[in-house]
Amino acid sequence: MIGCPCQVCHSSDERDKRMRQSIYLTTKQHRHILVDTSPDMRSQFLRSNLTKLDFCFITHDHADHLHGIDDVRPFCFGPPSKDIDIVIFEAHRQILETRFSYIFQRQKIFNEKNPYLGGGLPLLNLHIISPGTQTLYGEQFTLFELPHGHGITMGIYHEGMAYVVDCQEIPPAAMTILKGNTNVLIIDCLQRAPHQTHLNVTKAFEYIREIAPKRAYLTHMNHDLSHVDFTKMAKDQFGASVTPACDMQQVLY
Ligand SMILES: [Zn+2]
Ligand SMILES: [Zn+2]
């Protein structure tokens, strides 16, 4: 955190340098999918040398998961130029359309009198979907709702991998999808103390026990705990099957 004097914020351990939350999926069918366009997206892509993108999910409309969206534009340039779909729940449409009107309402804003100059506009289209199991671009996903403060977050299940971030609980409908079906669980785990909009360590550990995945990765941590301390805390309870995730980590599922 900017200006924070704590030990984690000044740690020399690379695993304590936590950029904003997102994941990038490379599927067996060679699809390349980004989940969330964080304000760190540009730096994350540049340092990972990732050059491909077929579409994006946006889990919810909070700034830390969304505000890097303009940096998707190099993937649209081509040649040939291509539009990229942004897959969201209906609940998040209005905020995306108003906050990024130059992207999602570009047909209204730019016209013959006021043409867009320069050619650098991100060519993104909203693809609204409902919760449930569906095939998207040849891949089967099960999407579910997670409560997050006053709003909801999209939970994502794909071929044994479940991505559960930004939620203060996992409701029964989502647990039915996850329990017994999850090999790799990537789960919200903000800090030790309870939090109004996120899972804390106690709640995340309870859900991991109930879902019983083969492996679980804790994510979306703040600076409450270092990677080393988090690792120890998880190991004491679960052995090596539960670990904190870190930036640039690659996970097979
Ligand atoms: Zn959030
Ligand atoms: Zn978040």
Side-chain angles (χ1 to χ4, degrees):
M1 195 167 79
I2 293 173
C4 177
C6 86
Q7 278 191 345
V8 177
C9 288
H10 290 268
S11 165
S12 56
D13 187 336
E14 272 306 304
R15 297 166 303 179
D16 289 331
K17 308 216 177 301
R18 297 168 184 153
M19 287 198 184
R20 257 64 69 87
Q21 185 69 34
S22 72
I23 57 168
Y24 178 88
L25 306 176
T26 305
T27 71
K28 294 189 186 92
Q29 304 185 74
H30 308 290
R31 291 271 180 323
H32 302 89
I33 304 160
L34 177 65
V35 182
D36 288 336
T37 56
S38 89
D40 295 323
M41 186 204 140
R42 184 170 180 273
S43 327
Q44 289 166 324
F45 266 85
L46 288 174
R47 75 172 180 176
S48 316
N49 268 319
L50 297 171
T51 55
K52 293 178 179 159
L53 186 64
D54 293 310
F55 72 97
C56 301
F57 286 105
I58 300 288
T59 59
H60 65 299
D61 53 31
H62 284 171
D64 60 324
H65 293 251
L66 170 62
H67 283 199
I69 197 161
D70 191 78
D71 288 315
V72 176
R73 68 199 189 105
F75 296 106
C76 307
F77 288 166
S81 67
K82 68 164 184 177
D83 287 19
I84 289 184
D85 277 355
I86 304 294
V87 180
I88 58 166
F89 282 159
E90 176 64 37
H92 306 128
R93 179 212 293 261
Q94 205 194 352
I95 286 192
L96 266 77
E97 282 182 348
T98 50
R99 209 175 279 163
F100 297 96
S101 58
Y102 73 99
I103 299 176
F104 298 115
Q105 303 203 64
R106 59 188 183 276
Q107 288 88 350
K108 279 190 206 163
I109 292 176
F110 303 110
N111 50 43
E112 270 178 41
K113 278 187 188 157
N114 177 38
Y116 184 74
L117 304 175
L121 198 68
L123 302 173
L124 311 181
N125 300 314
L126 292 179
H127 177 159
I128 313 291
I129 39 155
S130 305
T133 300
Q134 50 218 296
T135 305
L136 290 165
Y137 316 90
E139 301 282 341
Q140 188 178 298
F141 288 95
T142 301
L143 307 170
F144 47 95
E145 293 182 358
L146 298 162
H148 184 36
H150 295 298
I152 57 164
T153 295
M154 179 191 290
I156 299 172
Y157 178 89
H158 178 256
E159 296 185 347
M161 184 280 301
Y163 188 59
V164 175
V165 291
D166 290 65
C167 59
Q168 67 270 21
E169 64 176 90
I170 306 178
M175 288 302 280
T176 308
I177 296 162
L178 302 177
K179 261 165 95 169
N181 298 317
T182 305
N183 294 324
V184 169
L185 173 66
I186 302 170
I187 187 167
D188 197 26
C189 188
L190 189 75
Q191 60 186 23
R192 282 170 292 186
H195 193 273
Q196 285 184 321
T197 64
H198 281 273
L199 299 180
N200 69 343
V201 173
T202 310
K203 278 186 171 179
F205 283 12
E206 276 172 24
Y207 285 124
I208 291 169
R209 259 186 214 98
E210 211 179 325
I211 294 167
K214 290 204 179 85
R215 284 171 290 148
Y217 297 90
L218 312 169
T219 197
H220 213 312
M221 287 85 79
N222 68 13
H223 54 163
D224 179 44
L225 282 168
S226 69
H227 190 87
V228 168
D229 291 340
F230 239 121
T231 304
K232 191 179 175 308
M233 191 177 272
K235 198 174 180 188
D236 286 348
Q237 303 229 6
F238 295 99
S241 65
V242 179
T243 50
C246 60
D247 287 25
M248 301 288 281
Q249 185 167 9
Q250 294 188 32
V251 174
L252 283 175
Y253 68 92

